[in-house]
Amino acid sequence: MAGSGGNDQNAVERQLEAKILELLAARASTSTICPSDAARAVGGDDWRPLMEPARQAARRLVEAGQVHITQGGSVVDPATAKGPIRIRKAR
């Protein structure tokens, strides 16, 4: 594929956003996923480098009003969340 690395990065970002929404659609509305679920689904065996991009994809989906980021079962501000997060559908 010709082009810059930026195009590949944008494609991966879109894949991660779509995978987060797809994984959540397959679960109960109250269920959550880990960003690693999306990273594994998109990256296969080489998923670990996609962890931060998956977290960033979740943040973009929060901004779009499609998901919430939670910690300990409570919705948190994605800009200030530190440590493990979970993602659930926005209600």
Side-chain angles (χ1 to χ4, degrees), residues 4 7 13 15-16 18-19 21 25 33-34 37-38 55 77 85 89:
S4 70
N7 288 339
E13 289 171 359
Q15 281 183 295
L16 287 165
K19 186 56 68 174
L21 295 175
I33 63 166
C34 179
D37 296 329
R55 290 173 65 101
D77 181 346
I85 62 170
K89 292 180 210 171

Side-chain angles (χ1 to χ4, degrees), residues 23-86:
L23 290 168
L24 288 171
R27 290 173 167 74
S29 63
T30 56
S31 295
T32 63
I33 63 166
C34 179
S36 66
D37 296 329
R40 283 183 177 98
V42 171
D45 290 340
D46 193 26
W47 62 271
R48 290 185 190 279
L50 294 180
M51 276 302 295
E52 185 54 32
R55 290 173 65 101
Q56 292 170 353
R59 290 184 198 109
R60 287 191 300 276
L61 292 171
V62 166
E63 290 175 19
Q66 294 184 278
V67 303
H68 294 296
I69 289 178
T70 65
Q71 288 183 312
S74 298
V75 174
V76 295
D77 181 346
T80 58
K82 301 286 186 232
I85 62 170
R86 302 287 297 177

